[in-house]
Amino acid sequence: MAKPSLYSVLETQSRDPRFAPFVHQDAYGVWGLKPQLLPEIILKLVLGILVAPLKATLTVLGLALACNTCRVEKYLMPVLSISKEYRAAWTLYWGKIWIRLALFGLGFLSVSWIKLDHLDVRKQAETETEAPVIVSNHMGWSDILVHMSRSWPAFVAKEGIDKVPIVGYISQHIGCIYAMRAIKETGKSAAVQLKDRISAKAIDPTSSVRPMLVFPEGTTTNGRYLCKFKTGAFLAGAPVRPVVMHFLNQDYVSPSWESINIKRHIFIMMATLFHKVICYELPIYYPSDAEKQDPVLFAENVRQNMLSYCGNHGVPNLIPCDSTLENKLEHHKLSKATIAEHSGKFRKSIKKE
């Protein structure tokens, strides 16, 4: 009796309902390891050799131009006595254009934004200002660029992002909060700093401080589920702008970086001609007095609000789930052990031959 293949074992393990939001789902299957037909392999090799370098060059160019735009605002414009307000507006305008160029390089030929403010039945304000915080579902490393091309927000970044060439300088310029450094430098956790930043923006919505982008699920998913929200974005009790992102061609190659090797995912992405994403900006959610006092209640009600739009008004359906980061880590541990075991057996079989 033939032993099951590596992919069949991984596929069986991934059927655990707890792992559902964290299973990579596209034509390349679980962990991107689904065996492909020869024509697809040849296509990816050809595009990887001929197209991927051009796309990578365009992406780096867009990011470099965005970085230099930030440098011009910081170092050149003050010398020319240009007002702070104009400098901020100039960087916002050109920064978004260059980030859009970087997305074009990644293959995002279509990045659409649909605003649903006309569906707001509460009508809390006749003239709405920019919400101090944006909350969105989270699928991968391209999500931040998609949001930056729209609203140029700051975000909570991992330790070390500020040291990455080009990207690090941009993150510093827009005022990102670095998780571990926040504690070392100020004695405040990232959550407390996030609360303070959102509160300051809520008090003065017209300030040049960028709104905060928060992915309240606390991890990425495959784009088909909406997990429970963490409370960080809701501690300040400020209005939030919910956004639902949806990749249109994710059944072939999903931009969702979920349970797949990063190098493998980048290669498949760059060797794919185009990607499409639609972002639905839901009406600004204004918390009640009870929600302001209870971040857990506020977070869950915003999540339910986002789910209420899913499947309606053209917004794609997202499945609510209770899976957690711990479930994701368990899935990763199990899969990596399986991959390591099969790799060991493969090396031993070669030695025997």
Side-chain angles (χ1 to χ4, degrees):
M1 183 177 179
K3 293 183 179 180
S5 66
L6 168 61
Y7 185 76
S8 64
V9 175
L10 291 173
E11 193 174 35
T12 300
Q13 291 173 347
S14 70
R15 291 173 185 160
D16 188 319
R18 298 172 302 160
F19 303 156
F22 314 121
V23 177
H24 192 77
Q25 295 185 8
D26 63 10
Y28 283 79
V30 180
W31 287 96
L33 295 175
K34 185 176 181 179
Q36 299 295 306
L37 297 176
L38 183 59
E40 176 67 14
I41 295 173
I42 294 174
L43 175 64
K44 280 293 177 280
L45 288 175
V46 171
L47 292 176
I49 295 171
L50 300 180
V51 177
L54 298 176
K55 293 176 66 178
T57 300
L58 198 59
T59 300
V60 173
L61 176 62
L63 292 173
L65 288 170
C67 179
N68 286 333
T69 297
C70 296
R71 292 183 186 277
V72 168
E73 181 196 349
K74 183 175 180 179
Y75 296 111
L76 180 59
M77 287 188 167
V79 176
L80 300 176
S81 300
I82 297 175
S83 69
K84 186 176 181 180
E85 291 74 17
Y86 180 84
R87 280 150 43 194
W90 185 84
T91 302
L92 177 63
Y93 177 80
W94 285 105
K96 292 194 292 185
I97 288 178
W98 300 137
I99 293 297
R100 185 65 189 86
L101 176 64
L103 283 168
F104 186 83
L106 289 173
F108 285 93
L109 305 188
S110 175
V111 180
S112 304
W113 287 82
I114 300 177
K115 204 166 187 176
L116 300 178
D117 278 355
H118 64 285
L119 299 175
D120 186 6
V121 296
R122 298 200 283 182
K123 296 182 179 178
Q124 296 272 346
E126 294 183 4
T127 306
E128 285 185 341
T129 55
E130 186 177 44
V133 59
I134 301 162
V135 295
S136 171
N137 58 322
H138 190 20
M139 293 170 282
W141 46 269
S142 60
D143 296 359
I144 289 177
L145 292 179
V146 171
H147 278 281
M148 287 185 70
S149 72
R150 175 68 168 183
S151 53
W152 196 251
F155 50 92
V156 178
K158 292 183 179 179
E159 185 74 11
I161 290 293
D162 56 323
K163 296 180 176 61
V164 177
I166 301 177
V167 174
Y169 187 85
I170 297 174
S171 70
Q172 292 178 55
H173 189 83
I174 61 180
C176 289
I177 296 172
Y178 304 102
M180 296 304 296
R181 200 170 80 179
I183 300 175
K184 295 176 183 176
E185 295 183 353
T186 66
K188 296 181 179 180
S189 67
V192 172
Q193 286 208 37
L194 178 63
K195 176 184 177 182
D196 293 344
R197 182 78 63 82
I198 294 172
S199 297
K201 183 67 175 177
I203 293 172
D204 184 9
T206 61
S207 72
S208 60
V209 175
R210 300 311 305 152
M212 292 298 303
L213 167 64
V214 180
F215 300 114
E217 292 170 286
T219 187
T220 53
T221 71
N222 54 27
R224 291 171 167 80
Y225 294 82
L226 195 65
C227 298
K228 291 285 187 180
F229 283 0
K230 307 291 185 181
T231 59
F234 310 97
L235 294 173
V240 302
R241 167 75 76 180
V243 174
V244 175
M245 296 180 62
H246 176 61
F247 294 122
L248 294 182
N249 57 331
Q250 61 182 346
D251 289 334
Y252 173 45
V253 172
S254 175
S256 168
W257 177 41
E258 185 50 60
S259 300
I260 181 173
N261 177 272
I262 181 63
K263 293 179 181 178
R264 185 176 183 83
H265 190 238
I266 290 176
F267 174 80
I268 294 173
M269 284 277 290
M270 299 304 280
T272 302
L273 288 177
F274 65 89
H275 311 283
K276 295 181 180 180
V277 60
I278 298 181
C279 302
Y280 298 87
E281 290 183 300
L282 308 186
I284 293 177
Y285 189 100
Y286 295 88
S288 65
D289 290 337
E291 290 169 333
K292 290 178 182 179
Q293 299 299 319
D294 186 349
V296 175
L297 175 66
F298 188 8
E300 180 57 23
N301 286 351
V302 169
R303 177 172 175 264
Q304 292 300 325
N305 176 258
M306 293 173 69
L307 289 169
S308 72
Y309 280 91
C310 294
N312 301 298
H313 316 296
V315 183
N317 191 43
L318 292 177
I319 303 170
C321 71
D322 296 326
S323 297
T324 63
L325 177 59
E326 287 69 30
N327 297 138
K328 178 177 181 174
L329 295 177
E330 182 183 352
H331 169 52
H332 284 196
K333 182 178 180 180
L334 183 62
S335 296
K336 289 177 180 178
T338 300
I339 293 171
E341 180 184 356
H342 278 254
S343 297
K345 289 179 179 178
F346 177 72
R347 284 194 294 269
K348 287 179 181 179
S349 67
I350 292 178
K351 287 180 180 179
K352 289 180 180 179
E353 293 176 2

